[in-house]
Amino acid sequence: MPEHRHEDRVAQASQSPAAVTRLAASWRRSMVKHGLDPAGAPRVRQLSMRELVEKREALDGFINVARPQLDHLFQLVCPTGCSVLLTDATGIVLEQRMTEADAATFRGWGLWSGADWSEAAEGTNGIGTCLAEGRQVTIHRDEHFYARNTGLSCMDAPIWGPDGRLIAALDVSTARLDHTERWNALIAAQVAQSARQIEAAFFRASFPGARIVTAEVTGSEDAMLLIAVDKDDLAIGANRAARRAFGLEKEGQLRPRPASDLFGREDEVTGFEKAERAAVIRALARAEGNVSAAARALGVGRATLYRRMSRLGISQNPGRLSQV
């Protein structure tokens, strides 16, 4: 018999108002704020089909944009016995991807469309804690709040809408005992990349006809800055990372302003342009000069990338750049 039961360990770590780790802080929220008992065994809250349809309809455009990335992520992780879930900002599962062989297992855990995996309902867990803290998280087995969820490992990343508000969580979960923390870290990196790609695709879809200016921020969880510029050269949209970088409105509709006010005069090279140029060069280098592959990695069309290369002064070397 273990020296300390899981629920006793959670309760003890949750006692101090000054919880010293993020995990302990989440356990404390679950116990004190939400009034949950780590030894409890309530059934996972499940929405009715009508409620689920309403939730999906509210995010129909976003879900349509996200589906190709969900399918791609699932193809990468399904051989390891993982499920892929997409939730709304409240933790309700809207989309699921899993093999038929694993479906009964995941349904038994409550990892199913319409299930509520918010912290308020399930305590510390990948989906709920990701949404509560607005950051990428991995909750591995006994890091869960409920003792009954300690057989799961969950890797999650937040997805931010074009208005700067949290719109969804992307989750990969597994109940496989052979999944180590190191293996989960590899999956978590792919989840984060897929979340950023969904966020970027939805941002572009939200500003049809606009020119999307992008730049990478090294070492930041929000790795991609996105600015939408209209035909009048007005910046009309910015994702969360760009809003933070440029001190723009934190949330909501962006007040249009001349793009030059953000990027500087046309005759000077700005920090943003330097970062954008570096991002394009890195993408080309990783693709070994294949422009089409680099464009796919950046989430733009080949013609768009050629225009961007021309604007940024990146020469086309026929001996090194492939047009395939």
Side-chain angles (χ1 to χ4, degrees), residues 52 85-88 91-96 112-115 117 127:
L52 177 58
L85 303 176
L86 181 73
T87 80
D88 67 5
I92 301 299
V93 178
L94 303 179
E95 288 278 313
Q96 63 186 41
W112 205 258
S113 292
W117 278 88
I127 293 169

Side-chain angles (χ1 to χ4, degrees), residues 36-166:
L36 304 178
D37 177 1
R43 296 182 61 184
V44 175
R45 175 175 172 259
Q46 185 78 29
L47 267 61
S48 68
M49 182 54 67
R50 179 177 178 180
E51 291 172 322
L52 177 58
V53 168
E54 290 175 352
K55 289 279 189 180
R56 283 173 170 162
E57 287 178 347
L59 291 175
D60 183 61
F62 169 72
I63 293 173
N64 287 334
V65 168
R67 279 176 176 147
Q69 279 300 325
L70 297 180
D71 294 337
H72 177 66
L73 178 60
F74 179 62
Q75 290 301 315
L76 294 176
V77 303
C78 70
T80 66
C82 292
S83 68
V84 173
L85 303 176
L86 181 73
T87 80
D88 67 5
T90 69
I92 301 299
V93 178
L94 303 179
E95 288 278 313
Q96 63 186 41
R97 302 287 188 277
M98 59 192 68
T99 65
E100 289 186 15
D102 293 326
T105 298
F106 286 118
R107 187 156 200 165
W109 285 104
L111 294 166
W112 205 258
S113 292
D116 181 356
W117 278 88
S118 63
E119 260 197 357
E122 288 293 313
T124 303
N125 72 87
I127 293 169
T129 303
C130 168
L131 293 170
E133 299 184 357
R135 66 179 182 91
Q136 182 182 356
V137 302
T138 294
I139 303 297
H140 182 60
R141 295 181 186 165
D142 63 0
E143 292 177 337
H144 284 82
F145 178 79
Y146 276 130
R148 62 182 168 82
N149 288 336
T150 56
L152 294 172
S153 291
C154 306
M155 291 64 72
D156 287 77
I159 300 175
W160 301 90
D163 59 359
R165 298 186 177 100
L166 192 57

